[in-house]
Amino acid sequence: MQKIRVGIGYDVHSLAEGESLWLGGIQIPHTKGTVAHSDGDVLIHAICDALLGAAGLRDIGKHFPDTDDEFKGIDSKVLLKRTIQLLSEKGYTVGNVDCTLCAQRPKLAPYIDQMEVILAKLMKVDVDDVCVKATTTERLGFVGREEGMAAHAVALIVKE
Ligand code: MG
């Protein structure tokens, strides 16, 4: 019998000058970047958590701990690839993923298409099955003050 499950993911990283900014698998030129043990790709981390949660596999910190040197500075695309591998070991493939990136600056619209293409390829789905949205928080809260960025994701996974 076909099994369909959903999962939710949320991640936050603080911002600092002199750090690089990776979002949705691409490096984005900006005055600040995310502070993290990995490359700090907050969008991919939220997606990984949504996928792992859907499969009942807890979260990214359980599988790729930030205390482990193996993951120091790691490209988050590798983490997403490994997440898909963990899902496939349980017989799941990705149905679709929807996510929202919360960032006051920079303008992310020019990068969204490219993010969707990269994420779809990593998750082995059509580009149409990945939706990346971006919003500011109207200058409110830590995102609005440009102290950090946040991302929300939901994922649907399927076992035939
Ligand atoms: Mg993270």
Side-chain angles (χ1 to χ4, degrees), residues 11-13 36 38 40-42 45-46 60:
D11 194 35
V12 171
H13 280 276
S38 66
D41 193 323
V42 70
H45 296 176
I60 198 170

Side-chain angles (χ1 to χ4, degrees), residues 83-106:
T83 297
I84 296 300
Q85 181 64 38
L86 289 168
L87 261 63
S88 87
E89 283 164 17
K90 284 192 88 174
Y92 287 104
T93 55
V94 178
N96 77 297
V97 167
D98 185 23
C99 47
T100 301
L101 194 46
C102 306
Q104 189 62 44
R105 274 189 332 127

Side-chain angles (χ1 to χ4, degrees), residues 13-49:
H13 280 276
S14 60
L15 289 168
E17 279 168 20
E19 300 283 345
S20 51
L21 182 62
W22 286 87
L23 294 170
I26 56 177
Q27 190 170 14
I28 292 172
H30 190 43
T31 52
K32 288 179 173 179
T34 49
V35 179
H37 184 70
S38 66
D39 67 4
D41 193 323
V42 70
L43 183 62
I44 288 189
H45 296 176
I47 290 172
C48 287
D49 266 4

Side-chain angles (χ1 to χ4, degrees), residues 137-153:
T137 57
E138 300 287 342
R139 303 215 161 272
L140 295 169
F142 69 86
V143 171
R145 291 190 298 272
E146 299 180 42
E147 293 166 3
M149 287 186 180
H152 302 262

Side-chain angles (χ1 to χ4, degrees), residues 58-101:
R58 298 270 188 82
D59 59 33
I60 198 170
K62 180 175 188 283
H63 298 277
F64 317 113
D66 65 7
T67 48
D68 191 333
D69 275 355
E70 185 192 348
F71 305 116
K72 198 171 177 355
I74 198 168
D75 181 344
S76 293
K77 292 191 282 296
V78 174
L79 303 182
L80 181 53
K81 231 184 211 171
R82 291 220 210 161
T83 297
I84 296 300
Q85 181 64 38
L86 289 168
L87 261 63
S88 87
E89 283 164 17
K90 284 192 88 174
Y92 287 104
T93 55
V94 178
N96 77 297
V97 167
D98 185 23
C99 47
T100 301
L101 194 46

